[in-house]
């Protein structure tokens, strides 16, 4: 093969995400080589490349041919299932790679696996990036949000390609060098945790509007369409409006009502909550969304519980609460409650990123992360621009809750927020996400908490000592002896 005909980049792993990203790269004018362990996927991708305008994409059927078809220093993106398939693919490809070449893992990988692979790559003179890719199939084809972390030189080698391939927003492409090591994977993981929170909050808004507001699916579609023209404008609100409009092809009504209420998950939400716990960062909205997915999986238990509790005398309060609620006001209250809850959820995610950045010395730029999430990704939303500006105003901002603009917005919306959570509680509708966000806000804003009593209890049963508010030092008290003496 002549040097001029060599591809600029390679991509291995041609499931839907891989195919779409390869076509995106080719469409932007970068000749690309593709490879897949099963050759039918290579053939499929070649057919699509031809159909979509004879794009500069070449297919290869062995790791050796694939690697040798790429110009040096080679950059190879792999999009295979996280875990051992990544290690197997790396082993097959690196056999034919040379010093200075680079592997880019675009999967949802655990950040420590990426850090291990970086060390292994260094041992062979290779560069490595762990790159979060968000936006699903459509994003991969038309412009995802990309979160590459690892060797900076590896990023520099592919920066011109990534900047063209990423989603484009008014202040630039949705890609930036995230940081060293597993920073890119960690940021994508927290992005997914925030996504869990967003989806839970939207589902709660739907639940209370449907049950207490008595809204039909058509009304819900109209409400979410309207919300998507205001401060809640986002990908998730937009697609939610679309979901309510789809009719059931097998019967009457809309499809959404026929879907089994059991939520699946891939693991990134769980990792986010585990990391929050490890770093002592409160992330109750994200944690509650994970708990809800676990509870949703107990469908048979929930059905049995509903029956047992009904027999025990539990009565539904939904109709009674609905009869005394002003529907128009409820809709407006839910809009405001959703926005305020969202601020708290993003604040938790950003604080987790900062804590990890401090621990690992990644120097994450939180404002820049908000910017690259403005397009292409699942949590893309207009209000990310406000988050970007909040961190530009104050890079060491303790929490989004205390940014002057967000603080004012939360205070303006707290009445509506409390009414919605209160109405849901009265009606017996669970609101773990909005409730957790509100509890987070109410705990964070208080200058004195009942933690003094907890400290006293810990000292009584475990002699853990406590501090006083009026003098320095650690103190221990013989609580039981003194209490009995005084009585």
């Amino acid at each position: 093969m002549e040097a001029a005909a060599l591809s600029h980049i390679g991509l291995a792993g041609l499931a839907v995400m891989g195919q779409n990203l390869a076509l995106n790269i080719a469409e932007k004018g970068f000749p690309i080589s593709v490879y897949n362990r099963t050759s039918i996927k290579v053939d499929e991708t070649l057919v699509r490349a031809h159909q979509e305008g004879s794009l500069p994409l070449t297919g290869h059927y062995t790791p050796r041919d694939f690697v040798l078809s790429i110009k040096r220093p080679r950059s190879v993106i792999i999009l295979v299932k996280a875990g051992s398939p990544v290690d197997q693919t790396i082993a097959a490809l690196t056999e034919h790679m040379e010093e200075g070449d680079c592997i880019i893992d675009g999967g949802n990988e655990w950040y420590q696996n990426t850090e291990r692979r970086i060390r292994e790559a260094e041992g062979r003179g290779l560069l490595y990036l762990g790159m979060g890719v968000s936006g699903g199939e459509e994003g991969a084809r038309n412009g995802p949000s990309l979160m590459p972390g690892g060797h900076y030189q590896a990023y520099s080698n592919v920066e011109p390609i990534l900047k063209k391939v990423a989603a484009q927003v008014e202040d630039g492409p949705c890609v930036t060098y995230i940081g060293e090591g597993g920073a890119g994977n960690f940021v994508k993981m927290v992005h997914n945790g925030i996504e869990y929170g967003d989806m839970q909050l939207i589902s709660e808004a739907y639940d209370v509007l449907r049950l207490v507001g008595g809204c039909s699916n058509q009304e819900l579609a109209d409400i979410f369409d309207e919300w998507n023209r205001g401060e809640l404008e986002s990908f998730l609100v937009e697609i939610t409006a679309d979901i309510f409009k789809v009719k059931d092809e097998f019967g009457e009504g809309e499809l959404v009502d026929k879907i089994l209420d059991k939520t699946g998950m891939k693991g990134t939400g769980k990792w986010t909550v585990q990391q929050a716990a490890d770093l002592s960062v409160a992330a109750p909205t994200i944690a509650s969304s994970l708990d809800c997915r676990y509870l949703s999986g107990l469908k048979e238990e929930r059905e049995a519980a509903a029956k047992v509790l009904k027999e025990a005398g539990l009565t539904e309060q939904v109709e009674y609460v609905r009869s005394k609620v002003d529907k128009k006001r409820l809709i407006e209250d839910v809009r405001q409650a959703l926005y305020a809850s969202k601020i708290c959820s993003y604040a938790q995610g950003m604080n987790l990123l900062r804590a990890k950045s401090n621990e690992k010395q990644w120097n994450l730029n939180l404002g820049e992360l908000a910017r690259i999430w403005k397009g292409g990704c699942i949590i893309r939303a207009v209000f990310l621009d406000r988050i970007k500006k909040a961190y530009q105003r104050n890079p060491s901002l303790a929490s989004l809750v205390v940014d002057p603009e967000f603080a004012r917005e939360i205070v303006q919306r707290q009445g509506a927020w409390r009414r919605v959570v209160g109405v849901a509680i009265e009606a017996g509708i669970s609101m773990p996400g909005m409730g957790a966000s509100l509890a987070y806000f109410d705990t964070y804003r208080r200058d004195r908490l009942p933690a003094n009593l907890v400290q006293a209890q810990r000292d009584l049963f475990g002699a853990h000592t406590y501090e006083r508010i009026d003098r320095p030092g650690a103190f221990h008290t013989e609580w039981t002896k003194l209490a009995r003496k005084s009585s």
Side-chain angles (χ1 to χ4, degrees), residues 403-425:
D403 169 73
E405 280 199 21
F406 281 125
R408 192 163 54 245
E409 289 184 336
I410 286 187
V411 170
Q412 286 166 354
R413 287 160 181 73
Q414 67 158 340
W417 197 6
R418 294 181 195 287
R419 283 194 294 273
V420 170
V421 173
V423 157
I425 290 169

Side-chain angles (χ1 to χ4, degrees), residues 83-254:
S84 60
V86 175
D87 290 308
Q88 289 159 16
T89 306
I90 290 170
L93 298 178
T94 53
E95 218 176 293
H96 312 287
M97 294 174 83
E98 298 165 77
E99 203 170 311
D101 290 352
C102 172
I103 293 273
I104 303 167
D105 176 18
N108 269 339
E109 188 56 271
W110 174 235
Y111 83 100
Q112 288 178 337
N113 284 344
T114 295
E115 302 203 324
R116 166 178 61 79
R117 291 178 187 131
I118 286 174
R119 291 191 296 273
E120 290 167 358
E122 283 170 349
R124 304 181 65 160
L126 300 172
L127 303 176
Y128 198 94
L129 284 179
M131 182 171 74
V133 179
S134 179
E137 298 168 21
E138 189 195 330
R141 181 65 188 83
N142 302 310
S145 174
L146 299 171
M147 296 155 249
H151 290 117
Y152 184 73
Q153 184 58 52
Y155 174 70
S156 298
N157 292 351
V158 290
E159 185 179 29
I161 298 176
L162 298 184
K163 282 189 162 177
K164 281 281 197 325
V165 165
Q168 307 293 317
V169 291
E170 78 285 351
D171 49 6
C174 293
V175 61
T176 191
Y177 174 69
I178 301 291
E180 294 178 357
N185 294 116
F186 193 91
V187 166
K188 174 63 164 59
M189 177 198 79
V190 174
H191 162 288
N192 286 23
I194 292 171
E195 183 185 306
Y196 272 52
D198 259 2
M199 293 167 77
Q200 178 63 29
L201 293 170
I202 288 170
S203 76
E204 291 172 18
Y206 153 67
D207 210 22
V208 77
L209 289 173
R210 179 176 64 102
L211 295 174
V212 176
C215 295
S216 66
N217 287 326
Q218 185 52 59
E219 286 175 305
L220 287 163
D222 294 341
I223 289 164
F224 276 84
D225 268 335
E226 188 180 330
W227 286 357
N228 197 46
R229 291 191 287 273
E231 64 189 9
L232 286 169
E233 185 188 327
S234 63
F235 173 70
L236 284 168
V237 168
E238 179 189 328
I239 66 167
T240 301
D242 288 343
I243 286 166
F244 293 126
K245 298 169 189 170
V246 176
K247 302 286 181 201
D248 178 26
E249 60 177 319
F250 298 114
E252 293 294 306
E254 286 77 29

Side-chain angles (χ1 to χ4, degrees), residues 300-313:
E300 295 75 18
E301 280 185 46
R302 288 188 287 113
E303 287 175 334
K307 198 174 164 195
V308 168
L309 292 165
K310 192 175 181 183
E311 284 166 5

Side-chain angles (χ1 to χ4, degrees), residues 42-59:
V42 179
D43 295 335
E44 257 178 44
T45 312
L46 289 169
V47 169
R48 283 188 65 190
H50 182 70
Q51 288 170 342
E52 296 186 23
S54 298
L55 300 175
L57 182 147
T58 55

Side-chain angles (χ1 to χ4, degrees), residues 44-85:
E44 257 178 44
T45 312
L46 289 169
V47 169
R48 283 188 65 190
H50 182 70
Q51 288 170 342
E52 296 186 23
S54 298
L55 300 175
L57 182 147
T58 55
H60 302 272
Y61 297 90
T62 69
R64 184 179 181 277
D65 288 351
F66 168 64
V67 170
L68 296 181
S69 71
I70 306 160
K71 73 172 185 182
R72 297 206 58 214
R74 303 180 183 95
S75 296
V76 176
I77 298 171
I78 55 175
L79 272 167
V80 298
K81 198 166 181 278
S84 60

